């Protein structure tokens, strides 16, 4: 098991990145579903789950059918050529290790699914512009999944509304408040306002109206 206190989550722009998954079973499908929305995802396998066949048919992932045990090294290198991330997820541990070695030789990031490798895939929550990654660093993926479900219950749709409102306010305040510390104080006053949060249940406009009232109050006080 790798030394786990050196792991940190990163939020990456995967657009245009090539991700190659070996193995089209339940794990390969879960990984392909995660990445297919944002990266060029290829799955190489003997067989493909129903879910992957559907993703392939809809053009969301590229499926390459082959027996990796009889594939030549050059065929494997061709498949991983230009890849940002390789995920060896067949049911054959030795084969996964072989693919890992080839990816390592080519300095490609590897997400190992049958042990803790240098890249760990977290549980992911994506609610609009709010993205949360959760990992136990290999100790208990079930707890990651459990924690995801717990947090999903907390992250109500109002979080996306508040992100939109804060984004709007940040741009407004950059035009009207010179001092960054003052801008930060106003944003937190809005963020911690129960009236603003409750306003969203009426409408976004209602919450925004209450937020701008806080901003005006702050600006009036500071101009005295
Ligand atoms: C988070 C998530 C992301 C994803 O892959 O999508 C993920 N696994 C998920 C679910 C899950 N996986 C497993 C169970 C069964 C219960 C359990 O074992 O706990 C459950 C829960 C379930 O299915 O209910 C079995 C399992 N997992 C690994 C092994 C190999 C081993 O450890 O030996 C075995 C076989 C163990 C055995 O043979 O018994 C290894 C890994 N799994 C990881 C990620 C990485 C560590 C992440 C972390 O530490 O948090 C790591 C190291 C590598 C990797 O990145 O794949 C995803 C939840 C997505 C969601 O939120 O829904
Ligand atoms: N990381 C995780 O969350 C997690 C969860 C469960 C299991 N695992 C591990 O992940 C691995 C895959 O698990 P799974 O449930 O997806 O297995 P699975 O049996 O559902 O799928 C295995 C896939 O590998 C393909 N495959 C096997 N041999 C092949 C070959 N020679 N050439 C091409 N393709 C080949 C099969 O066609 C199949 O599509 C297992 O080793 C398991 O230990 C990881």
């Amino acid at each position: 098991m790798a030394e786990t206190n050196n792991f940190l989550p990163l939020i990456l722009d995967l657009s245009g990145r090539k991700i190659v998954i070996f193995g089209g079973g339940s794990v390969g499908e879960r990984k392909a579903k995660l990445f297919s929305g944002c990266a060029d995802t290829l799955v190489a396998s003997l067989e493909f789950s129903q879910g992957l066949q559907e993703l392939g048919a809809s053009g969301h992932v590229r499926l390459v059918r082959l027996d990796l045990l009889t594939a030549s090294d050059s065929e494997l290198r061709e498949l991983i050529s230009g890849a940002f991330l390789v995920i060896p997820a067949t049911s054959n541990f030795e084969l996964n290790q072989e693919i890992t070695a080839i990816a390592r030789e080519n300095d490609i990031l590897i997400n190992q699914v049958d042990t803790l490798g240098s890249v760990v895939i977290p549980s992911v929550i994506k609610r609009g512009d709010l993205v949360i990654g959760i990992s136990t660093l290999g100790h208990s993926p079930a707890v990651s999944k459990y924690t995801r479900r717990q947090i999903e219950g907390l992250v109500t749709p109002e979080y996306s509304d508040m992100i939109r409102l804060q984004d709007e306010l940040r741009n407004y305040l950059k035009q009207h408040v010179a001092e960054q510390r003052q801008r930060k104080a106003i944003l937190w006053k809005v963020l911690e306002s129960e009236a603003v949060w409750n306003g969203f249940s009426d409408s976004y406009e209602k919450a925004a109206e209450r937020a701008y009232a806080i901003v005006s109050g702050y600006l009036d006080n500071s101009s005295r």
Side-chain angles (χ1 to χ4, degrees):
M1 179 83 85
E3 179 48 59
T4 56
N5 62 14
N6 300 325
F7 283 75
L8 277 176
L10 295 178
I11 304 281
L12 301 176
D13 175 4
L14 293 176
S15 43
R17 298 282 192 177
K18 177 182 176 183
I19 293 180
V20 183
I21 300 166
F22 292 93
S26 54
V27 174
E29 177 183 327
R30 191 180 66 227
K31 307 279 185 179
K33 279 181 176 164
L34 179 66
F35 290 113
S36 60
C38 43
D40 300 337
T41 309
L42 183 154
V43 183
S45 184
L46 258 183
E47 289 139 13
F48 299 96
S49 66
Q50 185 56 38
L52 274 173
Q53 290 174 44
E54 287 157 16
L55 280 175
S58 60
H60 286 94
V61 297
R62 199 154 37 109
L63 304 181
V64 175
R65 189 183 296 275
L66 82 169
D67 183 347
L68 291 159
L69 285 176
T70 58
S72 64
D73 271 10
S74 61
E75 279 177 298
L76 290 180
R77 287 185 205 305
E78 178 56 35
L79 279 169
I80 65 172
S81 155
F84 172 76
L85 176 69
V86 164
I87 308 179
T90 74
S91 44
N92 180 324
F93 180 76
E94 290 71 28
L95 178 57
N96 291 343
Q97 291 296 93
E98 204 181 302
I99 295 164
T100 298
I102 294 174
R104 202 169 275 141
E105 276 166 29
N106 289 274
D107 284 334
I108 298 171
L109 287 173
I110 306 151
N111 166 227
Q112 291 179 270
V113 303
D114 35 30
T115 182
L116 182 65
S118 56
V119 173
V120 176
I121 306 299
S123 282
V124 177
I125 296 171
K126 273 187 104 171
R127 287 276 167 84
D129 292 327
L130 184 62
V131 180
I132 304 170
I134 305 158
S135 175
T136 65
L137 305 181
H139 296 290
S140 172
V143 169
S144 293
K145 185 170 180 176
Y146 177 82
T147 309
R148 167 177 66 80
R149 288 173 167 172
Q150 296 289 95
I151 296 176
E152 278 171 342
L154 289 174
V155 178
T156 59
E158 284 78 10
Y159 276 69
S160 293
D161 291 333
M162 181 57 91
I163 291 170
R164 178 185 158 196
L165 179 55
Q166 287 277 327
D167 198 8
E168 188 186 302
L169 281 177
R170 292 177 87 236
N171 293 326
Y172 174 83
L173 292 173
K174 281 176 182 170
Q175 307 301 320
H176 295 84
V177 178
E179 177 63 44
Q180 190 272 332
R181 273 190 292 274
Q182 264 212 332
R183 296 200 292 269
K184 175 182 165 182
I186 296 169
L187 290 171
W188 273 92
K189 261 202 179 311
V190 169
L191 191 51
E192 289 171 339
S193 159
E194 213 173 306
V196 174
W197 280 100
N198 293 336
F200 289 123
S201 47
D202 288 344
S203 68
Y204 177 83
E205 289 67 25
K206 171 62 80 181
E209 186 187 315
R210 292 175 178 172
Y212 280 99
I214 291 172
V215 174
S216 312
Y218 205 96
L219 296 180
D220 292 350
N221 284 340
S222 58
S223 64
R224 282 187 196 125

